[in-house]
């Protein structure tokens, strides 16, 4: 696995190699790559691909590199929208170089991905990644259109995060299943596995934003609340019979003015009292159980790597 991930890293550098023609762009891309994550999507794609003949082809490496660059570009753009100053404990691209430059850097990465895939004759991958971007944008737009709304339902919340967060997970699972030679039914199961994993990932992020601190997360606390984005734990808290009314009052104030630190801490305490954190953790466990059932239904396949990824996301 480590050797395959290293090959993906090298391919990412190869795809973006001509940035060296401009020193300014070179510095920006290098910084962005430094703050790239743990390559979870790459590991997921490789793990499923290995369930075929056990070999990882150049095509798999190309798919993983294309997804990682596209995802990184989406994070650069996301930080612009959220005005985030930190990305995984590093200064975000927009904070370091400005919003305009960050837009162009993200656009450049996406353009390079499509150019690269065309040169590699990976035309199906172009369509799938384009559709992934479409679903991601739909989710982001949906989320932005309901900012500060206190009547949002859980179905609407999950529809938005299925697009904005889970879409890349679904894509790599689809690629992996096709690489492994799965039939339609098992491919659909793997895509469902990816969607559940993406939802779990987002719910974990929701918890970290509300109940952790930036020394752990590498990002500002309460960033979603400040932006008027009310995530799953908040929706649960609003429904609580004992504390929902007070949570509602604080969030009404949030729409009118910037909440102070003391008010945000009070909101956190109310959410804990309403057991919103515990109930969100239970939802994550339910999604994990669904995924364990999916893995058990895949006949004659070694799912060890997928079990490890699932366990890591569930318990991180």
């Amino acid at each position: 696995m480590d050797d395959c991930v290293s090959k993906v890293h090298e391919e990412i550098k190869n795809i973006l190699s001509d940035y060296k023609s401009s020193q300014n762009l070179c510095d920006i891309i290098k910084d962005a790559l430094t703050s790239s994550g743990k390559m979870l999507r790459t590991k997921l794609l490789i793990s499923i691909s290995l369930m075929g003949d056990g070999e990882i082809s150049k095509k798999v490496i190309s798919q993983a590199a294309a997804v990682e660059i596209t995802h990184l570009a989406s994070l650069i753009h996301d930080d612009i929208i959220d005005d985030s100053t930190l990305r995984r404990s590093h200064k975000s691209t927009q904070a370091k170089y400005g919003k305009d430059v960050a837009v162009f850097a993200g656009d450049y990465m996406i353009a390079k991905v499509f150019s690269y895939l065309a040169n590699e004759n990976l035309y199906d991958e172009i369509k799938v990644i384009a559709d992934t971007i479409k679903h991601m944008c739909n989710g982001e737009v949906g989320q932005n259109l309901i900012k500060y709304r206190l009547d949002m339902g859980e179905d609407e919340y999950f529809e938005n995060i299925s697009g904005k967060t889970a879409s890349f997970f679904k894509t790599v699972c689809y690629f992996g299943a096709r690489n492994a030679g799965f039939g339609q039914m098992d491919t659909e199961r793997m895509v469902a596995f990816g969607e559940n994993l993406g939802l779990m990932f987002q719910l974990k992020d929701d918890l970290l934003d509300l109940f952790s601190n930036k020394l752990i997360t590498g990002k500002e606390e309460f960033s979603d609340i400040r932006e008027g984005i009310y995530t799953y734990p908040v929706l649960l808290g609003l429904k609580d019979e004992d504390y929902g009314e007070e949570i509602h009052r604080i969030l009404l104030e949030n729409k009118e003015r910037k909440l102070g630190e003391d008010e945000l801490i009070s909101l956190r305490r109310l959410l804990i009292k309403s057991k919103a954190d515990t109930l969100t953790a239970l939802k994550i466990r339910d999604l994990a159980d669904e995924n364990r059932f999916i893995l058990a239904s895949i006949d004659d396949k070694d799912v060890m790597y997928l079990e490890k990824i699932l366990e890591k996301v569930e318990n991180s």
Side-chain angles (χ1 to χ4, degrees), residues 143 146 149 152-154 157-158 161 164 202-211 223-225 228-238 251 271 276 280:
Q143 177 177 271
I146 57 174
R149 254 185 54 191
M152 181 178 64
E154 291 179 19
Y157 165 82
F158 280 108
I161 68 168
K164 82 181 199 74
Q202 182 60 58
L203 290 170
K204 284 280 184 178
D205 194 61
D206 293 349
L207 288 174
L208 289 173
D209 185 69
L210 290 165
F211 305 109
S223 58
D224 288 330
I225 293 290
I229 297 170
Y230 300 145
T231 56
Y232 188 67
V234 176
L235 300 183
L236 294 175
L238 282 167
L251 294 178
L271 290 171
T280 301

Side-chain angles (χ1 to χ4, degrees), residues 162-226:
S162 178
K164 82 181 199 74
T165 303
S167 55
F168 279 107
F169 287 91
K170 292 161 66 177
T171 293
V172 294
C173 287
Y174 173 77
F175 283 153
R178 294 293 297 271
N179 295 337
F182 285 9
Q184 182 177 346
M185 184 175 294
D186 281 345
T187 297
E188 290 174 357
R189 286 170 176 159
M190 283 292 92
V191 171
F193 179 93
E195 178 167 29
N196 287 340
L197 204 67
L199 298 180
M200 291 169 62
F201 193 85
Q202 182 60 58
L203 290 170
K204 284 280 184 178
D205 194 61
D206 293 349
L207 288 174
L208 289 173
D209 185 69
L210 290 165
F211 305 109
S212 190
N213 63 69
K214 66 181 180 181
L215 294 176
I216 295 173
T217 64
K219 57 188 284 190
E220 298 293 337
E221 298 171 68
F222 303 110
S223 58
D224 288 330
I225 293 290
R226 296 179 200 275

